């Protein structure tokens, strides 16, 4: 019987120890929050900051004389990736905007006007190039544009290369 009451006593001591230890941990966490509470109060309203994308005008269609070659995805060496240096700009919203031409070995072009956000590793396609009925090359604004994660695969894998090696 003495052993049972001893084991009960030991269990109670362990429970009291664990409870008091948890109280100390909770107090420590509260103290750490208290040290950051002052910092939070000094930056009051910081949660109201919301990034807003700036406006941009569609640029002129790229001319060959304004194109500069960049490195493209290794698996797509039969394509040339060319940036229109006249359209390359960093906006006040920290979006890098540029026109890119992806030229196949047969000479056909895919032309896009895009934006890249280094801080979020995202890209957006604002417009694509086309040839109108009068054989004029222009940009056509896309209706549904959304920010998407940078790609590192496929023919469009240039976006992560632009971020890592050129823009960010």
């Amino acid at each position: 019987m003495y052993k049972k009451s001893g084991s009960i006593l030991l269990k109670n001591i362990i429970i009291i120890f664990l409870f008091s230890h948890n109280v100390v941990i909770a107090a420590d966490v509260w103290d750490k929050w208290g040290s950051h509470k002052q910092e939070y109060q000094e930056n009051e309203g910081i949660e109201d900051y919301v990034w807003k994308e700036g406006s941009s005008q569609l640029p002129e269609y790229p001319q060959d004389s304004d194109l500069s070659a960049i490195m493209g995805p290794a698996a797509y060496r039969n394509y040339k990736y060319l940036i229109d240096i006249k359209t390359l700009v960093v906006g006040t919203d920290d979006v890098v905007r540029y026109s890119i031409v992806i030229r196949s070995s047969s000479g056909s072009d895919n032309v896009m006007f895009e934006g890249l956000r280094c801080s979020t590793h995202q890209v957006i396609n604002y417009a694509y190039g086309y040839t109108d009925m009068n054989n004029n090359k222009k940009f056509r604004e896309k209706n549904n544009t959304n920010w998407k994660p940078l790609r590192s695969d496929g023919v469009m894998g240039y976006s992560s290369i632009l971020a890592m090696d050129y823009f960010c």
Side-chain angles (χ1 to χ4, degrees), residues 2-167:
Y2 178 73
K3 284 188 172 184
K4 283 186 180 178
S5 65
S7 89
I8 292 173
L9 180 62
L10 182 60
K11 285 179 185 176
N12 288 337
I13 290 172
I14 290 172
I15 289 171
I16 290 170
F17 173 76
L18 291 175
F19 176 75
S20 65
H21 186 67
N22 286 340
V23 169
V24 170
I25 290 172
D28 187 44
V29 168
W30 184 254
D31 286 344
K32 286 180 180 170
W33 162 247
S35 68
H36 293 292
K37 190 175 181 185
Q38 179 70 26
E39 179 183 328
Y40 177 77
Q41 288 172 340
E42 289 171 4
N43 292 308
E44 192 172 333
I46 198 160
E47 69 277 358
D48 295 334
Y49 173 79
V50 176
W51 176 81
K52 290 187 179 17
E53 184 176 2
S55 62
S56 62
Q57 299 290 325
L58 291 182
E60 294 293 319
Y61 197 87
Q63 303 296 315
D64 280 345
S65 60
D66 298 325
L67 298 177
S68 181
I70 62 162
M71 182 175 50
Y76 294 89
R77 294 187 196 276
N78 56 335
Y79 291 95
K80 287 184 183 176
Y81 292 82
L82 307 156
I83 294 287
D84 180 357
I85 56 175
K86 277 192 169 179
T87 63
L88 184 60
V89 65
V90 179
T92 57
D93 55 1
D94 292 329
V95 174
V96 181
R97 290 181 178 82
Y98 55 91
S99 295
I100 186 161
V101 177
I102 304 172
R103 186 167 287 158
S104 72
S105 56
S106 68
S108 64
D109 290 344
N110 282 314
V111 181
M112 291 156 289
F113 177 58
E114 298 182 329
L116 190 144
R117 285 185 70 196
C118 294
S119 61
T120 60
H121 307 285
Q122 291 178 309
V123 67
I124 190 168
N125 186 295
Y126 295 115
Y128 58 91
Y130 76 102
T131 304
D132 69 11
M133 293 163 74
N134 298 324
N135 211 25
N136 296 319
K137 294 181 178 184
K138 300 179 177 183
F139 276 114
R140 177 172 290 153
E141 199 168 352
K142 287 183 71 178
N143 292 330
N144 296 325
T145 58
N146 295 313
W147 287 96
K148 296 181 179 170
L150 296 177
R151 292 190 52 183
S152 59
D153 63 333
V155 74
M156 304 301 276
Y158 64 86
S159 63
S160 57
I161 293 172
L162 283 174
M164 291 187 303
D165 295 340
Y166 296 95
F167 298 159

